[in-house]
Every structure is written in C-alpha cells, then in structure tokens.
Amino acid sequence: MPALVDTTIRLLGQEPLAGRMPTAELLRLAELLDRAGFAYLEVSGGGVFDTAVRRGVESPWERIRALNERTATPLAMALRGRFLVGSRPVGGEFVSRFVASAAESGIEVFRLHDPLNDVENLREAGQAITSAGKEFDAGLVYGSGYTNETDALVEQACKLPELGASRVLLHDPSSSLQPQRAQELVGTLADASGLPVGLYCQGAGGNAMAAGLEAARAGADLVATAVYPVALTVHRISGEALATALSGLGLDTGVDVDVLWRASELVDEHIGDEPVTPLAPRISVRAAEHRVPPGLVASLDTHLRALAAGDRLDEVLEELTRIREEVGWPPIASPIGQILGSQALMHVLSANRYGTVVDELRSLIEGRYGTPPGPFDAAVKRAVALSGGAPEEETPVDLDSLREEAEGLASSEEELLLLALFGEEAEPLLKTIRGRASRDESLAAGGVDQARAERIREIVRIVQESGVGEVTIEEAGMRVSVRRTPEPLEPGLASVAETGSEAAGLAAAPPSPEADGLVRVEAPMVGVFYRAPQPGAPPFVEEGDTVAPGQTLCVLEAMKLMNEIKADGPGIVRVIHVGNAEAVEFGQLLFELEPIGPPPLDAI
C-alpha cells in the first residue's frame, strides 16, 4: 500500500506563501499533521532557507527544532545535491557538516536530488546522511525534454543503491509528467534500481493528481501531498483527495482524512482570502504549455514588466527551450532553471545570442556543476568560449577560517553554515539573532539566568496550549505561577508571580482603553514586541502611516520564534501602545488603526 508524505509546512515556509501564516500557527498545524498518519513531514529545503535569510526574521534551524519538539512523525528536508540549500556547489566537508547540523536539529529523512540528474553529485551528501544514520531518498528530476530521457533516468537509477539510497523519488518540478509516463517510469525505475519508487510532482488542471493515482496503481510506495488549500494554490496533490481516491481503489494509505480537513481549515484561515500573484492563471497557463516551473515563469514575468517588456514573456520562454537544447537538456530544477532563464532574458532583450553570457552558464558548460543528460551544442560551446573566460573556480569555503572572520556574528556551527552559503545576504538575519542573544544576556543581568528564562517561557506555553487553568513551579528558591484569567470566552494569562528571588516576572496586561471607531490590534500570545525586523532597521510602521491588508505591523518573539503581526484590513496607524523590545501579554493592546472605508461609488 502506498504511504503519503506531507509537504505543507515546507511550502508555507517558501515563496509564494512565506509569511502568510505565523510561526505559532505553523506549529499548531504541525501538531495536527503529526496525528494524520503520514510517513514523514517535509518541513524544510532550499526555498525555506532562502526565504528565511531574505526576510531576516527567524532562523530556519530554530524552526526545524521547534517543529521537532512538537511532533513524533519523522521530519524531512529537501536538498539540491552539492548545492544543498543554496545556489553554489560546495565541497565534501561542508556537505558533511551541514547534514550533521540538520540531523542534530531533528531531520530524519533527506530528499536529495541533483539539478542535472548527475547522481555522482549526490555521493558526498549521501555518505554524510547514511553515516548520520538517517534515511537517504534519492530524487531523479523528470522533464528535461531530452529524447532519450527514460534511458538517461534508468542509467542514473542503477547507480543509486551503491550510493546508499533507500528509495528512488521521481521528482517533477515542471508539470511535465503525464499519468501514463508516471505509471511506466515507476515500474521501470524500480526494476532498474531494485529500490522502492516514490513520486514528488506538481501540475495544474489535475495533472499532478492523475499522475499520483497512476503512480500508486503502478506500485509507488510513497506520494508527496499537501493539504487542500496549499495544493490548490501551488498546484500540488491534495492529501485529502488522493487518500480518498486511493481508498476507493482498495489502496488504503492509513491517512486520517478528517484530520487533514481540520488542518485545511487552519490553513484556510490565513490564505483562504489572499490571491497568490505568482500563480495567476496567465502564469500557470504558460508554465504548463512550456513545461517550466510556475515560479520561474513568474520571476521572468516580473523582470520583463520592470523593464516595460511584459509582452515578451512568450519569446523568453521559447528562447529558454532553445537554450536548454543547446546546453544538454538539463532539467529545469533550481538553481539551473534560474541560470537558463537569466540567459534567455539577455538574448531576447539584447537581440544578441551569447553576446553576453552569465557566469553560471559558463560554469555549467565547463562542467563545474556536473554532467547534463544530453550533449552540448558544439557551436554554442565555441561561442561561449570566444565571448570571454569563465571566472576562476571558487576556493572551497574554509569554515574554520570563516569562523574567525565572523567572530561576533556567527557564534554556532549552524549560523556559520548560513553565512558560508549565503554570504552577506545572511548578515541581517545573524544580526537579528545576535540582538536576541544580547537581550537574553540582559535578562540574566536582571536576575534571571538563561535556563530559568527558558523555563518561564515553557510554563507560559503550557498554559496557552493545554487549557490548564494554573501551573505553579517551585525550584531553587524561585516560585513561578501562571494562571488564566476567569474571562470565559477568551482567557488570557493573568499573572506570573515570583518569590524568593530577584528573577523578573511577566506582569499582567493593564486593561486596554476603549477606542470608538478604531480597530484594536492585540497580542495573540505572550512575547517580546519588536517594531523593526532587526536592530538598526527602520520600523515596520510609524504613527500616521497608511497600511494595507496583510502588511506587517510588528514582530512578536515567543519561544525564540518570530511571529509577524499583520493588518487585517486597510487603515491608518493612530496609536502604537508598546515600545520596542518590551514584553507583552496575551490580549495586550498593541496598535489602534483607523479603518479606511471603500472608495465612493463615483470613484470606481
């Protein structure tokens, strides 16, 4: 019987859905999915790390640990071979240390694929994964368009058992996999490799669902899904729909569909009314027609519109297909798709093919990233060589030397890995983490050591999440009590009283004033209020600012996790009631917004 994997948490942590669901709600969602009966929950990957670094609010490592604490189902991470979660290939020692950090944080399963389908690029990471005692699921990317694609996939699949892979995962990022091909390839790859075969795919118009059904009927032991609102938004397979359909075919997955519908309701509260621009129908249609990932089409469209050339998207996509053929038919998986897309933009906008060549394409043609399925076009290879030399190959990152250079910025192995992978882009996030560490030190100076501060936060979380009326802990001369207020409909934390020590307590929130005609934005949790994403950065909003629906007003840190508080509707910020870095209580008034009504009819 096929098992199901859930990818909802990962998809909600990367574009285009990143930031639409607060971390606290993601943790609630994970606890629901944990009870559904999935083989594992895929919670992180390259898109999640990239988004976390760019947003500069929360460490992707902290999120993995928080999810691990709240779930018993194994957690999984998707890696891009030697690229790991970045856009540049790295060396063996780096790969080993990254995998070790991920395993220590709670990752049990690694879904590992190479963007060029050159499985030799998986060897170092595969060894690191198996050495750590974790599961290595090897992905083969479908959709290169190469005439002999099946033979090329079979050739690579035969090498996977020797690399220590537990499973072959047929991975389709470009909506190219037709149902009959899914059925054919599951059997062919299983026979060639001697390993079980699973399926990760996406596709609009029900194509992914059809491929998933046919793969399961052909003997696939694993199919990746997402809860219904996410599947609908980013064209994945709905776990609810697939589990129900397979049950009707006598292929019971063991997944509790009722639990999935409750998870869907939670997700729907946050994304149900929000259009997701990158997957507008115009983008989705072109992605399906040209067999290119929708995210890449959306990115190309954005660049063209910024250059007042939005009407040339079809030209760029046709040029992208031509370049793929010339450079050996590589699959359009990240980051290869972005490299080829950049070159296609240059060709169309300059009306000059290979007059200018992006450095990464030179590296690809020189073989620095591995070997694509097909041969390079000899004329293009000469043209690229004549247009200039490729940059010198980067020296492998020496993490120990980098640690000395980054003293004061990266204080742990995982922070050092972020800095090595993302360079200067990771510095704002690391500065935010350092700022939080400084605040913890100030707590210690005030009489609360780090262990006790963490204990207080944990007690608060227990009261918030369990429904317990009161919890009291007494230890080493410190007595901490957390109780709910008697208010029947929306109980909050009333007080935290401490005696026998100079440790700082969390005071009860004062009554919030009435504000006729103003929208009250209250704290949904106990935490620390931050007006800006990082120290020294401009505040998210100032008094008098006009805000749009979904715009971030502040960040609340709770249990070392950063939760963005957003405006529910359009308005003007009239009062900010809390100072930066102040502790706030559940239900405490943070902002008062003057709502902005709809425009008059004669203005529409």
Side-chain angles (χ1 to χ4, degrees):
M1 296 295 179
L4 300 188
V5 168
D6 184 81
T7 63
T8 302
I9 300 291
R10 174 176 64 82
L11 294 170
L12 286 169
Q14 64 188 47
E15 297 300 341
L17 296 174
R20 294 172 187 255
M21 194 165 178
T23 298
E25 294 293 276
L26 279 175
L27 297 179
R28 284 182 59 202
L29 175 63
E31 290 171 348
L32 272 174
L33 296 173
D34 186 45
R35 301 197 295 269
F38 287 109
Y40 53 81
L41 306 177
E42 188 170 278
V43 299
S44 194
V48 174
F49 271 70
D50 180 72
T51 299
V53 167
R54 181 172 46 77
R55 293 169 68 87
V57 173
E58 176 185 86
S59 167
W61 298 108
E62 289 178 359
R63 176 170 288 190
I64 292 170
R65 286 193 291 273
L67 291 165
N68 189 49
E69 288 174 1
R70 288 162 172 78
T71 56
T73 306
L75 302 185
M77 172 185 280
L79 298 180
R80 307 163 181 162
R82 291 173 54 224
F83 293 89
L84 294 179
V85 294
S87 58
R88 293 172 297 178
V90 296
E93 181 190 359
F94 192 109
V95 169
S96 296
R97 291 170 70 166
F98 183 94
V99 168
S101 289
E104 185 177 347
S105 293
I107 297 298
E108 295 290 334
V109 181
F110 291 82
R111 177 167 67 91
L112 187 63
H113 70 271
D114 178 65
L116 294 178
N117 273 344
D118 183 352
V119 299
E120 283 301 315
N121 285 335
L122 307 183
R123 185 175 295 276
E124 293 169 334
Q127 290 175 347
I129 293 165
T130 53
S131 296
K134 306 303 179 183
E135 182 177 324
F136 164 27
D137 287 358
L140 292 177
V141 185
Y142 181 82
S144 70
Y146 184 47
T147 303
N148 299 317
E149 183 169 16
T150 299
D151 293 341
L153 290 173
V154 167
E155 179 184 354
Q156 299 300 316
C158 291
K159 302 175 184 178
L160 293 176
E162 186 263 329
L163 298 182
S166 300
R167 175 183 287 108
V168 179
L169 288 175
L170 185 59
H171 174 45
D172 173 28
S174 60
S175 306
S176 302
L177 185 63
Q178 297 302 311
Q180 72 277 8
R181 289 285 286 144
Q183 184 182 53
E184 171 195 336
L185 285 170
V186 165
T188 301
L189 295 177
D191 291 341
S193 65
L195 298 173
V197 176
L199 179 69
Y200 270 67
C201 71
Q202 58 181 295
N207 190 66
M209 177 69 175
L213 282 171
E214 289 302 314
R217 294 175 66 182
D221 80 321
L222 200 70
V223 181
T225 66
V227 298
Y228 206 101
V230 173
L232 187 66
T233 303
V234 291
H235 301 167
R236 268 31 178 217
I237 301 173
S238 159
E240 298 92 328
L242 184 63
T244 302
L246 289 175
S247 178
L249 294 172
L251 299 172
D252 187 10
T253 63
V255 169
D256 189 332
V257 176
D258 290 337
V259 172
L260 293 192
W261 284 121
R262 292 202 294 274
S264 287
E265 290 170 3
L266 179 58
V267 174
D268 189 64
E269 291 176 10
H270 297 276
I271 71 170
D273 294 324
E274 295 192 33
V276 182
T277 304
L279 295 188
R282 184 175 61 85
I283 299 298
S284 299
V285 168
R286 282 160 175 78
E289 179 184 0
H290 293 275
R291 298 186 177 184
V292 176
L296 177 57
V297 179
S299 178
L300 294 171
D301 182 61
T302 299
H303 280 84
L304 288 169
R305 286 174 176 270
L307 297 169
D311 59 339
R312 308 192 72 180
L313 179 59
D314 288 320
E315 290 181 61
V316 173
L317 292 174
E318 290 167 4
E319 179 63 19
L320 174 60
T321 300
R322 186 177 176 187
I323 293 173
R324 289 175 68 188
E325 180 178 5
E326 293 168 339
V327 298
W329 290 110
I332 305 295
S334 182
I336 301 301
Q338 286 75 7
I339 295 171
L340 303 187
S342 297
Q343 191 66 43
L345 276 173
M346 286 186 178
H347 288 182
V348 170
L349 295 176
S350 67
N352 182 9
R353 302 192 80 242
Y354 298 109
T356 302
V357 181
V358 298
D359 289 341
E360 291 82 2
L361 187 69
R362 294 183 191 277
S363 296
L364 172 63
I365 290 176
E366 289 188 358
R368 295 183 185 181
Y369 296 159
T371 305
F376 292 115
D377 184 285
V380 169
K381 196 169 184 179
R382 285 195 301 271
V384 169
L386 291 172
S387 66
E392 292 185 7
E393 192 164 1
E394 294 184 19
T395 304
V397 177
D398 185 335
L399 289 174
D400 295 327
S401 298
L402 182 61
R403 186 188 301 277
E404 296 177 4
E405 297 172 11
E407 186 176 0
L409 184 61
S411 64
S412 66
E413 176 82 351
E414 62 191 33
E415 292 172 4
L416 191 66
L417 291 166
L418 286 177
L419 189 61
L421 280 166
F422 295 96
E424 294 180 356
E425 294 179 2
E427 291 184 9
L429 173 60
L430 297 178
K431 288 176 181 177
T432 298
I433 296 171
R434 295 282 68 72
R436 297 209 304 270
S438 298
R439 189 188 68 257
D440 289 339
E441 291 170 5
S442 68
L443 276 175
V448 179
D449 60 33
Q450 183 64 27
R452 284 182 171 178
E454 288 298 322
R455 192 70 176 273
I456 292 170
R457 293 189 182 100
E458 180 64 14
I459 296 169
V460 170
R461 185 187 69 79
I462 291 171
V463 172
Q464 283 182 309
E465 298 182 358
S466 67
V468 173
E470 180 174 353
V471 173
T472 300
I473 300 274
E474 188 167 357
E475 181 181 20
M478 181 179 74
R479 183 172 179 272
V480 180
S481 294
V482 182
R483 69 178 66 88
R484 290 179 177 270
T485 63
E487 187 176 0
L489 294 179
E490 199 156 292
L493 294 175
S495 65
V496 177
E498 297 182 37
T499 60
S501 137
E502 295 182 357
L506 301 175
S512 298
E514 293 294 330
D516 292 339
L518 298 181
V519 176
R520 297 157 56 91
V521 180
E522 299 176 346
M525 66 194 74
V526 173
V528 179
F529 175 92
Y530 290 106
R531 293 192 58 197
Q534 62 192 46
F540 291 109
V541 294
E542 298 278 12
E543 290 183 357
D545 285 355
T546 300
V547 296
Q551 183 172 338
T552 300
L553 302 174
C554 67
V555 168
L556 287 185
E557 183 218 344
M559 303 293 292
K560 291 189 176 181
L561 297 173
M562 311 305 284
N563 301 275
E564 295 179 71
I565 308 302
K566 301 183 178 184
D568 288 334
I572 300 172
V573 180
R574 290 306 184 198
V575 186
I576 301 175
H577 286 278
V578 184
N580 190 53
E582 289 185 5
V584 298
E585 289 295 315
F586 174 84
Q588 183 171 342
L589 184 62
L590 305 179
F591 299 89
E592 287 182 293
L593 308 181
E594 179 183 339
I596 300 174
L601 291 177
D602 60 2
I604 297 178

